[in-house]
Amino acid sequence: MKHIKSMTVQEIEAVLKELGQPAFRAKQVFSWLHKGVSSYEEMSNLPNALRQILTEQYPLYIPKILRRQESQKDGTVKYLWQLEDGNCVETVLMRYHYGNSVCISTEVGCKMGCAFCASTLAGFVRQLEPHEMLDQVLFAQIDSGAPVSHIVLMGIGEPLDNYDHVLRFLELVNHKDGMNISMRHISLSTCGLVPMIDKLAEKKLQITLSVSLHAPCDAVRDRIMPVNKAYPTEQLLDACRRYYKATGRRISFEYAMIDGVNDTPESARLLIGRLKGLPAHVNLIPLNHVEESPLKPSSKQAVARFQKQLEDAGIPATVRRSLGGDIEASCGQLRRTHERRE
Ligand code: SAH
């Protein structure tokens, strides 16, 4: 990794060795970086000469807040950051009774093309580097003054399309000399890239895997998620079974409720059949309406009926509480609005 903030302690150690520095300095530099310092000058226990060299050779960039919106209703804060190359991504900080959670982006734009999602409308630009994901957590925490205990990789982008950088990010954010956020407090959401789910399973991480299912069968899923053409529902659910077997971690399925598309009693019945024998939890999310899309959210009654059908069949299902509705706090909406105004 080129950027010093994307490096492990061992990699920083190698850099410092080249500069004739003792190994113990690596941990010092790492923990300063992960405190969110804005310059090497703040690293008060480093020799002056070293601070100078690092400033020249490994310049630090602090993401700029382009827009910051705070919900008057529930304290949710949404950030639009400007990255070093001028691209923007968004992060949402949500306050829950169990702690503060940030929802981070993993890519600039997205190539997955889901019909209901705002992040994909302007296409894909690039993957985020590990430190660009870390900075979202770090600077949302610093700006809001709210210590972050939970992370969800559910912002812009497909995390498993940026596998290596996402894995490095997880290692960094979990490091005891860094933010030290427990893997059990991290959820990774994927639209269903089957080979990558298998690859992730091998790592046996304690994170929660969320799978954006959104449909009980290919006929419906093909309509709303192009990825289903490459990895159809049955293959995806088989990968989920393998993932559970390898990690022992229950899978969380995301299911955006779309009026007349996937919210019928028949859909619930098919879903129940499909999830049989797979320890799962279904998260029902009333669709957030995206201006450019003809898809509409399901009625409250349809959501409640769907939930009851799943629960009656012994499948735990919750309806996601919507936070930040007054600040466009969902799925690429802020970046989209910003780009349209430019
Ligand atoms: N690419 C990953 C993570 C980003 S999307 C994935 O697909 O899982 C995070 C979640 O928000 C996914 O479940 C996605 O399907 C869902 N989502 C996207 N647009 C939405 C909308 N308009 N309403 C409700 N959920 C949406």
Side-chain angles (χ1 to χ4, degrees):
M1 301 281 169
K2 290 197 311 280
H3 197 286
I4 194 163
K5 225 178 186 174
S6 286
M7 291 180 189
T8 57
V9 176
Q10 292 71 23
E11 287 171 349
I12 296 176
E13 206 176 296
V15 163
L16 293 180
K17 198 168 167 203
E18 289 280 303
L19 299 172
Q21 293 289 326
F24 73 88
R25 294 246 178 261
K27 219 156 103 177
Q28 293 177 327
V29 170
F30 183 90
S31 60
W32 279 115
L33 291 171
H34 290 242
K35 280 195 177 75
V37 294
S38 52
S39 85
Y40 290 99
E41 284 314 303
E42 292 172 53
M43 301 190 178
S44 52
N45 54 0
L46 296 192
N48 245 325
L50 178 59
R51 289 188 230 171
Q52 298 256 309
I53 295 173
L54 290 174
T55 306
E56 281 157 28
Q57 297 194 2
Y58 295 93
L60 291 184
Y61 174 82
I62 304 304
K64 209 163 82 195
I65 299 178
L66 277 186
R67 279 182 76 189
R68 179 190 195 281
Q69 289 175 280
E70 184 153 0
S71 164
Q72 297 311 305
K73 286 198 251 170
D74 51 45
T76 298
V77 193
K78 177 131 184 173
Y79 298 95
L80 185 72
W81 310 103
Q82 184 161 54
L83 307 172
E84 202 165 355
D85 65 355
N87 276 307
C88 339
V89 289
E90 55 195 67
T91 305
V92 184
L93 180 133
M94 292 155 289
R95 301 168 202 263
Y96 292 104
H97 62 275
Y98 54 76
N100 300 307
S101 176
V102 289
C103 174
I104 65 161
S105 298
T106 55
E107 296 181 318
V108 181
C110 187
K111 47 177 107 142
M112 298 300 148
C114 299
F116 44 80
C117 181
S119 300
T120 207
L121 290 168
F124 173 76
V125 181
R126 69 172 174 88
Q127 299 172 325
L128 290 187
E129 301 278 324
H131 67 275
E132 292 174 320
M133 293 180 248
L134 182 76
D135 279 348
Q136 294 175 58
V137 186
L138 203 46
F139 293 107
Q141 172 171 285
I142 291 172
D143 175 79
S144 66
V148 169
S149 54
H150 292 68
I151 302 173
V152 295
L153 282 73
M154 280 194 192
I156 301 169
E158 167 51 47
L160 295 186
D161 179 55
N162 187 11
Y163 184 86
D164 291 342
H165 290 170
V166 163
L167 256 83
R168 170 58 63 89
F169 159 71
L170 294 176
E171 180 183 347
L172 293 175
V173 83
N174 176 241
H175 198 283
K176 63 175 178 13
D177 298 313
M179 295 195 81
N180 199 14
I181 294 180
S182 156
M183 289 284 185
R184 286 181 174 265
H185 288 182
I186 301 177
S187 294
L188 183 154
S189 182
T190 178
C191 64
L193 301 179
V194 165
M196 291 299 157
I197 293 176
D198 284 327
K199 200 167 161 186
L200 185 67
E202 285 170 22
K203 299 276 170 196
K204 300 192 194 307
L205 299 178
Q206 292 298 297
I207 59 171
T208 298
L209 181 66
S210 284
V211 173
S212 299
L213 193 58
H214 303 321
C217 59
D218 290 334
V220 178
R221 204 163 188 265
D222 275 345
R223 269 178 70 191
I224 52 177
M225 299 182 73
V227 68
N228 198 65
K229 299 250 160 54
Y231 308 112
T233 322
E234 203 47 55
Q235 282 186 31
L236 174 58
L237 291 173
D238 282 346
C240 291
R241 290 195 174 84
R242 292 193 293 274
Y243 187 89
Y244 175 74
K245 210 166 155 212
T247 64
R249 305 282 298 162
R250 187 171 74 152
I251 306 229
S252 171
F253 288 100
E254 308 291 304
Y255 199 101
M257 301 283 297
I258 311 172
D259 185 38
V261 174
N262 62 2
D263 63 349
T264 58
E266 174 62 6
S267 287
R269 204 182 55 73
L270 283 173
L271 185 62
I272 291 163
R274 277 290 166 84
L275 295 183
K276 255 212 171 82
L278 178 60
H281 172 263
V282 179
N283 222 330
L284 301 171
I285 316 152
L287 184 81
N288 279 302
H289 179 62
V290 174
E291 213 178 282
E292 290 85 345
S293 158
L295 302 171
K296 301 273 183 309
S298 303
S299 67
K300 268 205 172 102
Q301 293 83 329
V303 176
R305 186 182 59 205
F306 203 93
Q307 182 189 20
K308 182 164 185 311
Q309 239 177 302
L310 294 182
E311 290 275 354
D312 286 349
I315 298 174
T318 43
V319 178
R320 164 111 39 99
R321 189 163 62 104
S322 176
L323 295 178
D326 53 335
I327 55 165
E328 300 178 296
S330 56
C331 318
Q333 289 184 354
L334 189 62
R335 173 168 177 265
R336 182 88 190 127
T337 313
H338 176 78
E339 285 186 343
R340 272 196 309 238
R341 283 198 192 119
E342 292 282 276

